[in-house]
Amino acid sequence: MHIQDLPYPDPGAPDARSGPRFLWWLGRNQLGGQFKSLAWGLLHFVSVSAQPFCVGYAVEAAVDRSGSRLALAGGLMLLLGAAIAVGDTFLHRAAVTNWITAAARVQQLLARKAAQLGSALSRRVAAGEVVAVSTGDVEKIGWFVEAVSRFTAAALTIVLVCVGLVVYQPALGIVVAAGLPVLALAVLPLLPSATRRADHQREKAGRATELASDTVAGLRVLRGIGGEELFLDRYRRASQEVRHAAVRSARMWSLISAIQVLLPGLLIIAVVVYGVHLARTGSITIGELVTVYSSVMVLTYPLRHVEEIAMAYSFSRPSARRAARVLSLDRATDADGSRDADLPTGDLFDPATGLLAPASRLTAVVCGDPDAAGLLAERLGGHSSQDGPSALLGGVPLDELPLHCARTAVLVQDKDPVLLSGSLRDLLDVPASGTVDAADALAAAQCGDVLDALVQGSLEADDPMEARITERGRSLSGGQRQRLALARSLFTDPEVLVLDEPTSAVDSHTEARIAEGLRALRSGRTTVVLTSSPLLLDRADRVVLVHEGRVEAVGAHRELLDTEARYRAVVTRETDEDSALSGALKGLTDDELREIEETA
């Protein structure tokens, strides 16, 4: 896989049982790139490590005053220099490719999982953790995946050099061969502590990211209640905890780096002292001493990759664990479905509650529990995140349809829709039937003042469609964001539209106009509105009361107000005392009521 070929046509099915298994799966899925990096790494490291032998050969040639051997040594040095340059260049190219492709695969997997889970993802995983996984964690995972091949090349080079030294000069070669494993393994006892500190740092960083995300998302509310300083202090404390954790982690890695410098230095001293002794006794030549000394010096370069792979694994393991946790989340039903991708039509029915939304009509649903209403809206859209019977559209179970097909047939707008940053034209650049014009959708959602606000807040755009919307629409009020989201849903014009509290953040006058516009624009289409607003309920063709997970009453809004106490309590926010008083007053005659009024 080359960078220009990204994104992957299919990123694959990851092994998300644990972080290490996920890392192993990633490595196995780019073996071609790994072997390419290994080959170039061997060329580079072996060429670097072979230079001391050429230097020793040149010293021997100079001592023996052999010009031909000296020229041969020079030629070999030039050849090795060219091999080092070529190997290093293509090793870097292969390593960067492996890093980017591994990170891109993880990002595609996360994006696919987010699309499959939909709104269920934010209920099961904190937003800050998702942000941390899709940004910093992806880079650390890619780092470890690409570092494996370089470490393997470095380890093989160390083995080859040790064998070569033992054959070339057994007396000193055995010393080097015995000392190098000690250098490589000396840091192993420190790795568990370093890993724990790295895990702790990542947990603190994820918590700080989550807190920052929540603070920014609720900034308008915080300003309204004067809570900016309170949350700012919380974020300061979280940031300090991250800093302290990072310092503790850095101290451990500094100790590991110091050991990686100290122990090779001690080995070099031992080789020099012992080598000088052997040279003075005539056991070895000056050229052989120079070769062994230079080899030990050069081997500190591939030995650095032992420290790097340990650091990469320590940082990538918690990142891989978080990514695997997100990727292991599944829907209650198969996203691929078992039926053909044919869009069904007809009545929408929920067996769990007994709710029936007739085709081509506006049905309003009153549910006293907001959480239950959200779950009902999700179930009506098909492929619910919870186990249970599937909603039926025209008698076809929605969870048997492919996920994209079910979402095309039934569009669900939850109570907290997201507006992505970009222009208003980008916001409305969504799959649509083509029947509803953007201007009509904006007018039905009463977005006139929103368009004016967007133009006034933009320094360059005179056309509202080109005006910029900030991230999540934070420059707009809650009601303005809600209306833009409603306009987007109306513009899409699906066969079935399910709206969960679409007007909870707007005033009553605007809500009344939205109710009229919604009814007119969705004429002939199936629409389900979960709401307790009397203005919307009064304009619905059919009102359904859902209580404790079952349909309790069906009728018109005014009829249910008079006949259903539960319905009246939810819609009018009536308390138990108010209900008892209302019931008592209904049993009184007109004369008794006048008498009570006169007494009052």
Side-chain angles (χ1 to χ4, degrees):
M1 170 64 75
H2 299 285
I3 295 177
Q4 61 265 28
D5 297 328
L6 294 174
Y8 288 95
D10 180 12
D15 186 349
R17 289 176 291 177
S18 67
R21 289 177 182 272
F22 180 58
L23 292 173
W24 173 247
W25 178 84
L26 283 173
R28 286 191 292 110
N29 275 270
Q30 54 182 71
L31 289 178
Q34 295 285 1
F35 282 122
K36 186 181 297 184
S37 179
L38 175 61
W40 291 119
L42 282 174
L43 175 64
H44 175 65
F45 290 127
V46 170
S47 300
V48 170
S49 301
Q51 282 190 318
F53 293 91
C54 294
V55 172
Y57 186 76
V59 171
E60 290 288 346
V63 171
D64 296 339
R65 298 181 181 277
S66 173
S68 59
R69 290 166 56 194
L70 189 62
L72 176 61
L76 290 175
M77 292 287 288
L78 288 175
L79 182 62
L80 289 176
I84 291 172
V86 172
D88 190 29
T89 300
F90 286 95
L91 171 62
H92 178 74
R93 181 186 180 90
V96 171
T97 300
N98 288 339
W99 189 340
I100 293 177
T101 51
R105 187 187 295 272
V106 178
Q107 286 181 325
Q108 281 188 247
L109 290 170
L110 291 170
R112 185 177 68 182
K113 181 60 66 173
Q116 289 176 353
L117 294 176
S119 60
L121 176 62
S122 59
R123 290 199 295 268
R124 300 168 71 178
V125 181
E129 182 171 352
V130 176
V131 172
V133 170
S134 59
T135 53
D137 286 342
V138 167
E139 296 182 1
K140 290 178 175 59
I141 292 171
W143 175 29
F144 173 76
V145 171
E146 74 83 13
V148 169
S149 55
R150 288 190 292 113
F151 164 73
T152 305
L156 291 175
T157 301
I158 292 173
V159 173
L160 290 175
V161 172
C162 289
V163 173
L165 288 176
V166 171
V167 174
Y168 177 73
Q169 176 44 250
L172 286 177
I174 292 175
V175 174
V176 176
L180 284 178
V182 176
L183 300 185
L185 301 177
V187 299
L188 290 183
L190 300 177
L191 289 182
S193 178
T195 301
R196 286 194 300 271
R197 295 189 181 192
D199 289 351
H200 182 66
Q201 176 191 352
R202 294 301 304 161
E203 289 174 3
K204 293 295 183 181
R207 170 58 184 157
T209 302
E210 179 182 344
L211 182 60
S213 177
D214 292 343
T215 301
V216 173
L219 189 58
R220 183 181 295 273
V221 177
L222 291 177
R223 286 175 174 171
I225 63 175
E228 305 102 304
E229 288 300 324
L230 174 62
F231 276 80
L232 186 58
D233 289 340
R234 291 183 182 177
Y235 184 71
R236 286 195 186 104
R237 289 194 297 271
S239 298
Q240 290 302 311
E241 291 177 359
V242 174
R243 184 178 67 84
H244 289 309
V247 169
R248 291 185 71 248
S249 179
R251 285 174 179 168
M252 182 57 66
W253 288 112
S254 298
L255 177 60
I256 292 175
S257 298
I259 291 175
Q260 291 289 328
V261 173
L262 174 63
L263 294 184
L266 294 177
L267 179 61
I268 290 174
I269 293 174
V271 168
V272 170
V273 172
Y274 186 50
V276 169
H277 170 70
L278 293 177
R280 292 176 65 180
T281 60
S283 301
I284 64 173
T285 65
I286 297 298
E288 291 173 336
L289 176 60
V290 170
T291 298
V292 177
Y293 169 77
S294 302
S295 295
V296 176
M297 289 288 294
V298 169
L299 282 177
T300 58
Y301 172 51
L303 274 173
R304 286 287 181 180
H305 289 75
V306 177
E307 176 190 353
E308 182 186 359
I309 196 65
M311 183 180 294
Y313 180 72
S314 297
F315 279 96
S316 66
R317 193 182 71 166
S319 298
R321 185 173 64 245
R322 276 190 293 271
R325 177 171 176 263
V326 174
L327 295 175
S328 64
L329 299 175
D330 289 322
R331 300 184 63 85
T333 55
D334 183 11
D336 295 330
S338 58
R339 288 178 177 263
D340 296 333
D342 296 328
L343 295 181
T345 58
D347 298 341
L348 181 64
F349 177 68
D350 177 35
T353 59
L355 170 65
L356 174 66
S360 306
R361 302 187 66 183
L362 174 59
T363 302
V365 180
V366 175
C367 187
D369 184 358
D371 294 332
L375 293 175
L376 174 58
E378 185 183 75
R379 193 163 58 248
L380 290 175
H383 297 272
S384 173
S385 61
Q386 296 185 344
D387 294 327
S390 171
L392 308 176
L393 180 59
V396 177
L398 289 174
D399 64 2
E400 294 182 5
L401 294 172
L403 181 59
H404 72 277
C405 185
R407 287 179 172 170
T408 301
V410 183
L411 174 63
V412 179
Q413 177 183 304
D414 60 25
K415 59 173 61 69
D416 187 24
V418 175
L419 301 182
L420 300 179
S421 58
S423 66
L424 181 57
R425 192 181 304 279
D426 295 333
L427 178 70
L428 298 178
D429 186 16
V430 293
S433 67
T435 304
V436 177
D437 186 74
D440 295 335
L442 291 167
Q446 300 299 309
C447 293
D449 63 314
V450 185
L451 301 182
D452 294 337
L454 288 175
V455 172
Q456 292 174 3
S458 177
L459 299 177
E460 301 176 354
D462 295 329
D463 183 1
M465 298 298 292
E466 301 300 330
R468 301 291 297 178
I469 300 174
T470 57
E471 182 186 4
R472 299 181 69 91
R474 292 194 176 99
S475 61
L476 304 172
S477 67
Q480 291 173 329
R481 290 196 301 269
Q482 200 171 57
R483 282 178 281 163
L484 281 180
L486 176 60
R488 178 177 58 188
S489 299
L490 294 176
F491 174 70
T492 302
D493 190 35
E495 182 67 28
V496 179
L497 176 60
V498 178
L499 303 172
D500 187 5
E501 293 290 355
T503 59
S504 59
V506 301
D507 60 82
S508 58
H509 297 290
T510 304
E511 188 176 30
R513 294 195 295 270
I514 290 176
E516 292 292 347
L518 175 64
R519 182 179 178 85
L521 197 63
R522 292 290 299 174
S523 177
R525 293 287 201 178
T526 307
T527 308
V528 180
V529 183
L530 288 90
T531 182
S532 59
S533 166
L535 294 172
L536 287 174
L537 295 171
D538 194 37
R539 288 162 177 78
D541 298 319
R542 194 166 183 266
V543 179
V544 180
L545 171 64
V546 177
H547 179 70
E548 295 183 352
R550 296 298 301 174
V551 171
E552 295 290 336
V554 179
H557 167 61
R558 298 179 187 274
E559 173 189 347
L560 293 178
L561 276 179
D562 294 333
T563 59
E564 289 293 331
R566 290 195 187 98
Y567 180 84
R568 185 169 55 252
V570 174
V571 173
T572 64
R573 278 66 168 178
E574 189 178 74
T575 63
D576 292 340
E577 292 78 3
D578 294 336
S579 180
L581 179 59
S582 176
L585 292 177
K586 284 184 178 180
L588 299 178
T589 64
D590 293 340
D591 293 337
E592 289 173 332
L593 288 173
R594 281 194 295 272
E595 183 178 346
I596 291 174
E597 291 176 357
E598 292 173 358
T599 304

